Amino acid sequence: MDLERLRAWSYLRQRLAEPASGPGEALRAVVAVYATHPTAPVALWARTRSLTAAAYRRLDRDRRGLRIPGMRGTVFSPRATWRLGSSRPSALPAPACSAH
């Protein structure tokens, strides 16, 4: 695969070519965005047709996006796909257990 095709694929995959209709759709399209301020609102704004401050606050308030502490205290906003009573996101498969 040549570099231009790889760049085009990445651009499309990151929802930068065709914006999502809103922040929830943008988060569903990508796995996560870096969630420190102002990075998260800017990352979502770049991937949506329009993003207002109120829409971003609703995303947090309604828990449609989750903030998860990562390495060295950084925080990420993955898409909100957690099932009630589950400790795993529903969009990710459970790891295969190997019996030894």
Side-chain angles (χ1 to χ4, degrees):
M1 178 179 286
D2 65 40
L3 185 56
E4 288 305 312
R5 286 183 63 201
L6 183 58
R7 283 182 181 150
W9 175 84
S10 179
Y11 191 76
L12 289 168
R13 178 64 185 94
Q14 291 294 319
R15 286 304 294 244
L16 296 170
E18 184 174 327
S21 63
E25 183 181 327
L27 279 175
R28 283 187 299 276
V30 297
V31 174
V33 295
Y34 190 67
T36 58
H37 292 283
T39 307
V42 171
L44 290 174
W45 176 79
R47 289 166 172 83
T48 59
R49 289 188 176 90
S50 64
L51 177 69
T52 63
Y56 182 74
R57 284 191 296 273
R58 279 192 307 274
L59 187 68
D60 266 346
R61 183 195 69 210
D62 298 344
R63 298 188 52 87
R64 290 181 13 233
L66 303 173
R67 293 178 180 262
I68 297 178
M71 220 168 39
R72 289 179 261 154
T74 58
V75 180
F76 297 88
S77 288
R79 56 189 179 182
T81 57
W82 296 90
R83 287 180 267 169
L84 288 175
S86 172
S87 62
R88 300 191 53 76
S90 61
L92 300 175
C97 295
S98 59
H100 287 88

